[in-house]
Amino acid sequence: MSTQTLLYIILAGIVALLLALFQYKYKTKGASKSNALFAFLRFITLFSVLLLLINPKFEQVKYYTEKPNLVVAVDNSASIKHLKQEENAKEFLNSITNNSELKDKFNIEVFAFGNTLNTNDSLSFTESQTHLDRVFKQLGQVYKNTISPTILVTDGNQTIGNDYQFSAKKYNQAIYPIILGDTVVYSDLQITKLNVNKYAYLKNKFPAEAIVVYNGEEEVTSKFVVTKGNTTVYSKVVKLDKSNNSEVLNFTLSANSVGVQSYKAQIIPLSIEKNKTNNYKNFAVEIIDQKSKIAIVSTVLHPDLGALKKSIESNEQREVVFLKPNKFLDQINDFQLVILYQPNNSFKSVFEALEQQNTNKWIISGPNTDWNFVNSTSKNYRFLLSFETEDYQPFLNTNYSSFILDDLNFESFPPLQSTFGEAYFNVPFETILFKKLSGIKTEQPLLATLETNGRREALLFGQGLWKWRAQSYLNDDGFLQFDNFIGKLVQYLASNKRKNRLNIDYNSFYNGSDNIVISAQFFNKNYEFDANASLSISLKNKDSGLTLNRPFILKGNNYQVNLSGLESGNYNFTVSESSENVSVSGGFKIIEYNVEQQFLNADVTKLKQVAINSNGNAYFVSDYNALVQSLLDNNRYQSIQKSNKSVVPLIDWYYLLFIIALSLALEWFIRKYQGLI
């Protein structure tokens, strides 16, 4: 409380006392005990009211004790069941959560993890992937400012993500791995890696690579075989021993028919092998008849060109060719889509040829774009410009309807540089990304598409796509999301298919451990996105005859259904809207492969290293008592007394209002009782 406020309070006390004495001493003849009581009550009333007007502030300190957290993360993946450790995991979790001494010392918080981290202790051991890298990253965000030793109940076998040893180093908490699984080394042959392209071209040969690894002491001889149905398409004898324990096999297969072709790669198991599941891998390749060619026509060199090529060619069905405007005309019939990067007057013959052939195009503009030239060539749009440049950030139009889009967190992307101005369209168009200028959202398009006379066009008003691809990598630990976004835009522009009211996004085949999600968009008769549609999918396994129906769930600007966990086989499906006679059919294949069944042992070495790096300790599941004692005896994990200081104004102290009301009421009742009123 400041000195000035204290002086105001003293002055308020003096003023209240003088007013009370004036009322009941000076104006009233004689002195009595009643007058003294009335003066006291009036002083209390006046002083309290003046205090409320001054409203002094007081510091209030509250003390509390904060216990350290004990984080228990349990591996809920199918590998735990495969290694027959599910009962050990459940018993260990029960013992930890019911230990009274641990509950007195720690706040015990339980998580289960597979592909994702969940805040529950319901264990089913059916997760198809183990993503330990994500576990440490997410726990690190939650517990970064606390003392939270972490018990990790797992076999240590990760099937997806970056090496978890590196993310564990950044976790900044002591980690206590509880090792589940057999540590005895058995003789074992396995295919650890099988690399093959997703697509191949008809009447060509496509390459494949397999890595065979042997764990054991004796020299062994086996045979590596690749079959398609009952036909062997490749085989090789493999000899391995303790010192030469791996072999890389490179071979080619023929693409003889269009469609999804399934294969099985197998290393013939030894008679003494315990785990024969990891001796084979099923894989598939989609054979296509031709490759889409996309031309990027430019007179400038810019990092955007390389980023576009990388994104477009991430799908093996597409090929990008760079051309100057004068070289393009000789090859115009070879391309399904033309990307015009920062066009200027030298593009005149290119625009005329594209207009004559009604070819789809994508114009990417920037500070080097000659908009006076572009405006003179286009009847569909014009750009009113100044001679200044500006940086525009994107934000997604969630009502875009031409194809299914995912939000890549566009608002985190760096701005694109472009000429300052506004675009005007003479034909209907749809905006994918709007411009945001200095944090203010506008209705001006940054990326837009339009369809006229059976021709599709896109316009991007800015250069700097390479920065977006780099930011996408930082956001998602990879380029996949951004490359898919560019791929969908290119697929839309390269096609002339009629717009449908119901659009489906799915792959032609999936691996058994993949997260299988089918997306859909439904539009009303005016082709506006309908967020109130009732979509469902009807599936039938052609091999087993199994049928099932599942509803779609609205998520953002599309509907999604998760089909993960389906058995392998060929599936036909129909997606339909219940209130209207609109449906789309298709098919896909799920290839038999369970990555969680590829392991024979727990990864003891890596788990022990994680414990050492974090100043923790690794234990086997049978060492429960040693772990508990270590946690209880460790002086690093002590409860901390903390204080919370807050500034409270007197006006928030409601008891003062009660005192004012009480003093006034007593004064009135006593005076009334004595007949003074």
Side-chain angles (χ1 to χ4, degrees), residues 257-463:
S257 56
V258 174
V260 177
Q261 306 299 317
S262 299
Y263 299 86
K264 180 178 181 179
Q266 182 179 19
I267 182 74
I268 304 300
L270 306 173
S271 59
I272 58 173
E273 280 196 60
K274 185 176 180 181
N275 182 7
K276 297 182 181 180
T277 306
N278 59 15
N279 286 72
Y280 70 90
K281 287 183 184 289
N282 293 302
F283 66 98
V285 177
E286 185 172 2
I287 310 299
I288 54 180
D289 198 6
Q290 60 182 355
K291 195 170 191 174
S292 299
K293 292 184 71 175
I294 292 97
I296 298 181
V297 183
S298 175
T299 58
V300 299
L301 296 177
H302 196 277
D304 283 355
L305 303 178
L308 280 168
K309 180 178 174 67
K310 287 285 187 183
S311 291
I312 294 170
E313 291 187 346
S314 65
N315 185 328
E316 296 93 336
Q317 295 184 76
R318 303 188 183 109
E319 178 186 359
V320 172
V321 178
F322 293 113
L323 294 168
K324 297 285 187 181
N326 58 339
K327 299 293 184 182
F328 169 73
L329 295 177
D330 297 333
Q331 307 174 43
I332 187 171
N333 295 320
D334 296 340
F335 303 105
Q336 285 74 47
L337 172 66
V338 181
I339 299 175
L340 306 173
Y341 189 79
Q342 303 212 41
N344 52 40
N345 193 56
S346 64
F347 284 68
K348 183 176 180 181
S349 58
V350 175
F351 274 81
E352 290 174 352
L354 294 177
E355 183 71 25
Q356 183 178 358
Q357 296 198 9
N358 207 36
T359 303
N360 296 346
K361 63 178 180 284
W362 178 10
I363 296 176
I364 300 177
S365 68
N368 296 319
T369 302
D370 185 349
W371 272 110
N372 289 321
F373 160 71
V374 176
N375 287 340
S376 68
T377 63
S378 175
K379 301 175 183 177
N380 299 328
Y381 48 81
R382 53 197 301 267
F383 189 79
L384 299 183
L385 70 155
S386 67
F387 293 99
E388 301 293 329
T389 59
E390 188 57 80
D391 292 336
Y392 296 106
Q393 279 192 292
F395 69 96
L396 182 66
N397 174 20
T398 56
N399 294 318
Y400 183 78
S401 63
S402 292
F403 54 91
I404 297 174
L405 283 174
D406 296 317
D407 190 352
L408 308 187
N409 192 13
F410 284 103
E411 295 190 43
S412 71
F413 283 16
L416 299 185
Q417 188 180 40
S418 180
T419 305
F420 183 78
E422 293 188 7
Y424 293 90
F425 290 82
N426 303 320
V427 295
F429 72 99
E430 280 194 281
T431 301
I432 298 177
L433 298 171
F434 289 107
K435 290 180 179 178
K436 186 162 69 170
L437 180 61
S438 301
I440 300 172
K441 294 182 177 180
T442 72
E443 294 185 358
Q444 274 290 305
L446 181 61
L447 175 60
T449 60
L450 55 104
E451 295 185 39
T452 55
N453 301 321
R455 181 179 63 204
R456 292 178 174 176
E457 293 184 47
L459 289 163
L460 176 64
F461 298 96
Q463 68 176 22

Side-chain angles (χ1 to χ4, degrees), residues 474-527:
L474 295 177
N475 291 350
D476 305 310
D477 291 331
F479 298 114
L480 179 63
Q481 298 297 324
F482 181 78
D483 290 349
N484 283 344
F485 169 74
I486 295 296
K488 287 181 179 180
L489 178 58
V490 167
Q491 182 179 4
Y492 165 76
L493 293 172
S495 170
N496 289 314
K497 290 182 180 178
R498 187 176 62 86
K499 191 173 181 180
N500 297 317
R501 290 181 59 193
L502 179 58
N503 296 324
I504 310 297
D505 186 16
Y506 66 99
N507 295 333
S508 55
F509 66 90
Y510 301 89
N511 288 316
S513 298
D514 288 349
N515 188 31
I516 304 172
V517 176
I518 293 180
S519 301
Q521 281 187 320
F522 183 75
F523 305 97
N524 60 25
K525 292 180 180 179
N526 294 323
Y527 287 96

